[in-house]
Amino acid sequence: MAGKVKWVTDIEKSVLINNFEKRGWIQVSENEDWNFYWMSVQTIRNVFSVETGYRLSDDQIVNHFPNHYELTRKDLMVKNIKRYRKELEKEGSPLAEKDENGKYLYLDFVPVTFMLPADYNLFVEEFRKNPSSTWIMKPCGKAQGKGIFLINKLSQIKKWSRDSKTSTFVSQSSKEAYVISLYINNPLLIGGKKFDLRLYVLVSTYRPLRCYMYKLGFCRFCTVKYTPSTSELDNMFVHLTNVAIQKHGDDYNHIHGGKWTVSNLRLYLESTRGKEVTSKLFDEIHWIIVQSLKAVAPVMNNDKHCFECYGYDIIIDDKLKPWLIEVNASPSLTSSTANDRILKYNLINDTLNIAVPNGEIPDCKWNKSPPKEALGNYEVLVS
């Protein structure tokens, strides 16, 4: 038996550490020789930066791609998907087909989105076409629902305009960039409540693309019944499903944590909407995940030392159309309930079984095609 895997992490989560210890791996510090480093996105920046970076050897692997932000920053993801559509259109691909109103038939899976302040004028033009619509503003680089608000009047975002007298925006690049997206105001409701899907997707290599979908995703529910009424635009318990927000609500349930498994959702939809449309919905979800990965694959630094497990956030509207909302590079490993802890422990376990074959010292030159029996609860999306 070769030596044991030496591990480091800067994320002190029991679901990680228990998995490393169960394998008999040995904890070392980051200054020692390590084989496996489960790191935060801040640390990955240093590992691969020009100034502070260092060369990884063949027996070292890390859990992020160097420029994962091409997928996991809200503004860059949208930019890459827009570029991907244009390229498919240029090639005359049937995927880029449009309807008579110029809308993509198949590639219309992210809500209409603009960057602010850069696209302010384009946004205003779009806003005026549907002045009764609601838009959602999100800071580009924040997570867990921080800094998000909804707007339905231009006056609410005047300060983002380029020529605003009060704004020194033009000169201040440090001022925060936002994305503004058309708010999906007809979400599918269950028990009158809005929810979204958190799905886990593992990428072992981008070129060729090899990706896996975890079968045990879950739905996150709002604690308060949904209303599109404009008087509730600033009530985040109605609109945002992030557990970081919902857990502060009076109606938050600490036993199930406002969560349902994806398999429960599937059963519910099969019984209320029928098997066929439910299957079509899940096929479409898988399809948009693969398309989003294909959109970023050409710009992703496909470093052989890397794998990554993403948290995909999907919203389903009342016509059973799935929308890709965003992708998280460090999906939360905090457990809000007992079931949550088991799910995340198993997620890490199955992820490690694919990323570190047989739990042995890694050789990053391997072909990254694990055998079927190593997949656990992952299913192949593209291999």
Side-chain angles (χ1 to χ4, degrees), residues 11 31 87 117 139 151 155 167 194 269 314 340 343 358:
I11 300 175
N31 308 320
E87 285 168 2
I151 69 133
S155 59
S167 162
K194 179 180 165 176
L269 290 176
I314 306 269
D340 215 25
L343 174 130
N358 307 318

Side-chain angles (χ1 to χ4, degrees), residues 235-297:
N235 183 347
M236 288 305 143
F237 295 124
V238 171
H239 297 286
L240 294 187
T241 59
N242 310 68
V243 172
I245 287 180
Q246 292 295 336
K247 68 181 182 196
H248 300 297
D250 297 340
D251 301 311
Y252 181 73
N253 178 311
H254 289 275
I255 297 181
H256 58 65
K259 288 178 177 166
W260 253 23
T261 61
V262 166
S263 47
N264 275 351
L265 172 70
R266 203 168 182 146
L267 289 169
Y268 172 83
L269 290 176
E270 284 175 356
S271 62
T272 53
R273 298 292 187 105
K275 266 205 153 85
E276 206 174 313
V277 289
T278 303
S279 288
K280 179 173 174 282
L281 165 67
F282 280 91
D283 287 347
E284 276 181 26
I285 290 173
H286 290 180
W287 190 81
I288 64 181
I289 288 171
V290 171
Q291 294 308 307
S292 67
L293 294 171
K294 285 184 169 172
V296 300

Side-chain angles (χ1 to χ4, degrees), residues 334-348:
T334 307
S335 318
S336 48
T337 68
N339 280 344
D340 215 25
R341 179 179 301 279
I342 296 163
L343 174 130
K344 286 170 181 170
Y345 175 84
N346 289 330
L347 169 72
I348 299 298

Side-chain angles (χ1 to χ4, degrees), residues 83-96 298:
R83 193 204 63 247
Y84 175 65
R85 289 169 176 164
K86 290 218 168 72
E87 285 168 2
L88 288 176
E89 227 172 309
K90 251 203 299 238
E91 293 163 16
S93 162
L95 292 183

